[in-house]
Amino acid sequence: MNRTLRYSGRTMALTATALGVIATAAVPASAEEQPTAEQIMADCASGEGKCSFNSPELGKAYLGEPRQVSELLFNCTDSPASQSMSWADTVGSSHSVGGSVTVGGGIEGIITASVTATYNYTWQSSHTETSSFTVNVKPGEVGWISRAQVMQRISGTWQTHYDDPKWDHYYWFVPDVVTGPAPNGTDGKHSAVVVKSRKMTADEKKLCSAGDTQDKVFTRS
């Protein structure tokens, strides 16, 4: 899977070895071997390698997995209970090569510039929403607010250029897939906020029977 492509006769009087291509699968690097994709990306992030994100391709938007965004609401009473609860949700980006995309980091800026230039589309590595919602919970149940974010994948290839050969090359190329939040309504997909509930567990019912929580509605993170 991992291989090095070597070309000679380039302009600018490059050495005989000018380009390298690596797969996303990481392998240990040595003086004779190619670097890992993570090492190349670290150089892109630090600026040691002059990097660009080439030929970005936007995938179809999809709805991400729902996740809890509020506290839990326990109804320890004998009647249905309603309570307004605030919620907040921050969804970040990740890429197949090196984990999360740091907000304000060098990689984020490169992706943003590339996608904007290609599609005139403002890509954001992170999206935050806050609001409140009324949660209705039956007696003996637990309720919470869940949210699913519209997501989108961007595939492309990282190209890095070194002023002096590194790992025997001036250029390295790394394929990557970036996954991050997309604006609401992208490709007809909309983020979803829903109230969910379930029966209390035996341990949770014990909390309702203890002390000042008895016959009350209470929240717990």
Side-chain angles (χ1 to χ4, degrees):
M1 289 295 294
N2 290 295
R3 60 185 183 277
T4 301
L5 301 183
R6 300 173 181 268
Y7 297 88
S8 60
R10 293 182 58 86
T11 59
M12 298 170 55
L14 299 184
T15 59
T17 306
L19 297 107
V21 178
I22 64 177
T24 54
V27 295
S30 70
E32 295 78 29
E33 295 178 340
Q34 65 182 29
T36 63
E38 287 80 1
Q39 287 172 309
I40 295 295
M41 296 311 303
D43 283 354
C44 287
S46 68
E48 181 178 346
K50 298 179 177 66
C51 292
S52 60
F53 188 61
N54 298 338
S55 304
E57 294 185 6
L58 293 177
K60 283 288 186 180
Y62 64 96
L63 198 59
E65 290 295 324
R67 59 181 184 172
Q68 179 185 332
V69 295
S70 73
E71 293 183 315
L72 297 175
L73 181 65
F74 293 77
N75 186 354
C76 296
T77 72
D78 293 328
S79 303
S82 297
Q83 182 169 315
S84 178
M85 299 183 69
S86 298
W87 60 266
D89 187 28
T90 297
V91 180
S93 298
S94 62
H95 59 132
S96 59
V97 173
S100 61
V101 177
T102 304
V103 175
I107 289 176
E108 180 197 36
I110 297 171
I111 298 172
T112 299
S114 177
V115 174
T116 299
T118 304
Y119 294 97
N120 193 26
Y121 165 77
T122 302
W123 177 80
Q124 293 182 323
S125 63
S126 179
H127 178 75
T128 299
E129 282 196 21
T130 61
S131 189
S132 60
F133 216 82
T134 298
V135 178
N136 301 306
V137 186
K138 295 178 181 179
E141 292 192 354
V142 184
W144 68 93
I145 298 170
S146 180
R147 180 175 182 272
Q149 169 69 40
V150 178
M151 304 292 288
Q152 194 168 31
R153 294 186 179 94
I154 305 172
S155 59
T157 301
W158 291 96
Q159 175 185 324
T160 184
H161 167 239
Y162 296 100
D163 292 333
D164 297 307
K166 190 168 184 178
W167 296 291
D168 295 327
H169 293 291
Y170 282 93
Y171 296 86
W172 283 97
F173 299 87
V174 182
D176 196 7
V177 178
V178 180
T179 302
N184 206 29
T186 301
D187 294 332
K189 301 295 183 180
H190 296 269
S191 298
V193 179
V194 296
V195 173
K196 293 189 174 184
S197 62
R198 60 170 174 79
K199 295 289 186 180
M200 289 187 191
T201 65
D203 288 339
E204 289 168 344
K205 289 180 179 179
K206 290 179 182 179
L207 291 174
C208 282
S209 303
D212 58 4
T213 61
Q214 189 172 9
D215 300 324
K216 292 183 179 180
V217 174
F218 65 102
T219 59
R220 185 183 66 181
S221 297

